[in-house]
Amino acid sequence: MCWYLPIIPRFKKLFANGDNTKNPTWHVDGRKVDGLLKHPNDSPQWKIVNLLFLDFGKDARNLRLGLASDGMNHFGNLSTNHNSWSVLLMICNLPP
């Protein structure tokens, strides 16, 4: 069984509030740059994405999403007959 939760309507609800629309640009506008790794935007991977996809990297309002998965049973060697995959999708360019 698979559940699909569409993300576009959820993003529309999240950014319907005027205060939330300022948050995705936080990593460009209101961040102190001190050379320490405090947020995903300080990572080298963030800068590589900006260099590889120039149009995407220019606009600070673009959402950066992180996807994580856990609980896979690849080879069926556990005592269960099914796989459960929990998937987490998070917005990375929101303030901490």
Side-chain angles (χ1 to χ4, degrees):
M1 181 182 300
C2 179
W3 290 295
Y4 170 70
L5 301 173
I7 59 173
I8 301 297
R10 294 181 187 276
F11 288 155
K12 286 181 180 180
K13 287 179 186 177
L14 175 66
F15 296 117
N17 183 353
D19 294 333
N20 290 340
T21 57
K22 299 173 189 171
N23 288 337
T25 60
W26 165 85
H27 65 282
V28 174
D29 299 332
R31 187 177 76 96
K32 294 179 184 175
V33 179
D34 56 3
L36 300 175
L37 185 63
K38 295 181 179 178
H39 194 267
N41 64 343
D42 297 326
S43 69
Q45 290 83 6
W46 192 287
K47 293 169 184 67
I48 289 172
V49 169
N50 285 344
L51 291 174
L52 289 176
F53 305 100
L54 294 174
D55 292 336
F56 183 80
K58 287 179 187 176
D59 193 359
R61 297 173 297 169
N62 288 329
L63 292 178
R64 310 280 180 124
L65 301 176
L67 184 68
S69 174
D70 192 18
M72 296 179 276
N73 184 3
H74 288 292
F75 304 107
N77 58 1
L78 300 175
S79 62
T80 62
N81 294 330
H82 66 279
N83 298 337
S84 17
W85 294 32
S86 57
V87 177
L88 177 67
L89 182 69
M90 61 203 111
I91 302 174
C92 293
N93 58 332
L94 292 180

